[in-house]
């Protein structure tokens, strides 16, 4: 079930986001609408196309290339669970505030993905602290 999401003004001026193609930015925002409240969305390119662009004649290979673009920039992380593909949106909580999260409808990303993100976040925070001290 799609959810209403907010696109904050900072999204448009984010330098990393601006390096994405126009289509990648639209797909990224569309993935927010169809992800659960924990930033996990089904990873089938055909399914994503049907949800985000139901009336547009966009070919699946273009959707796949665009998803690869988002993965290369680290905006989405692919994982599988029970033979099904999913994407985890690691910056989802940066863009969305969820006051009353619903029950998860997708699997949680594997612990190694979350551990890597936590380590990266901690090292980034340490670097910022070092710069300010």
């Amino acid at each position: 079930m799609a959810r209403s999401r907010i696109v904050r003004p900072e999204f448009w001026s984010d330098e990393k986001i601006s390096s994405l193609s126009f289509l990648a930015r639209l797909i990224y925002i569309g993935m927010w609408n169809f992800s659960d409240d924990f930033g996990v969305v089904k990873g089938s390119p055909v399914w994503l196309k049907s949800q985000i662009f139901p009336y547009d004649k966009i070919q699946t290979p273009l959707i796949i290339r665009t998803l690869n673009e988002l993965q290369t920039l680290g905006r989405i992380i692919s994982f599988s669970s029970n033979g099904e593909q999913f994407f985890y949106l690691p910056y989802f909580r940066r863009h969305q505030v969820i006051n009353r999260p619903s029950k998860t409808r997708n699997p949680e990303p594997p612990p190694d993905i979350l551990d890597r993100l936590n380590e990266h976040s901690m090292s980034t925070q340490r670097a910022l602290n070092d710069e300010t001290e």
Side-chain angles (χ1 to χ4, degrees), residues 3 5 31-41 75 77 79 86-94 96-109 113-114 117:
R3 299 288 302 251
R5 304 291 188 196
M31 291 174 89
W32 299 348
N33 286 120
F34 296 98
S35 74
D36 61 20
D37 290 340
F38 304 93
V40 177
V41 64
R75 296 295 162 169
I77 299 171
F79 71 95
F86 294 90
F87 288 111
Y88 173 60
L89 290 72
Y91 297 99
F92 180 78
R93 292 290 180 135
R94 188 178 289 176
Q96 304 300 312
V97 175
I98 310 298
N99 293 323
R100 292 183 301 272
S102 60
K103 291 183 180 177
T104 184
R105 63 176 188 258
N106 296 317
E108 187 174 313
I113 289 174
L114 298 175
L117 290 171

Side-chain angles (χ1 to χ4, degrees), residues 49 57-64:
K49 188 270 177 221
K57 294 183 181 185
I58 299 172
Q59 300 297 313
T60 303
L62 180 56
I63 298 292
I64 292 169

Side-chain angles (χ1 to χ4, degrees), residues 26-84:
L26 280 177
I27 289 175
Y28 187 44
I29 293 169
M31 291 174 89
W32 299 348
N33 286 120
F34 296 98
S35 74
D36 61 20
D37 290 340
F38 304 93
V40 177
V41 64
K42 289 183 182 181
S44 163
V46 173
W47 183 84
L48 286 166
K49 188 270 177 221
S50 73
Q51 299 301 306
I52 300 170
F53 303 109
Y55 302 112
D56 297 308
K57 294 183 181 185
I58 299 172
Q59 300 297 313
T60 303
L62 180 56
I63 298 292
I64 292 169
R65 282 195 306 275
T66 306
L67 292 170
N68 287 336
E69 182 182 349
L70 286 164
Q71 284 187 87
T72 299
L73 193 61
R75 296 295 162 169
I76 62 175
I77 299 171
S78 177
F79 71 95
S80 61
S81 178
N82 295 325
E84 191 174 355

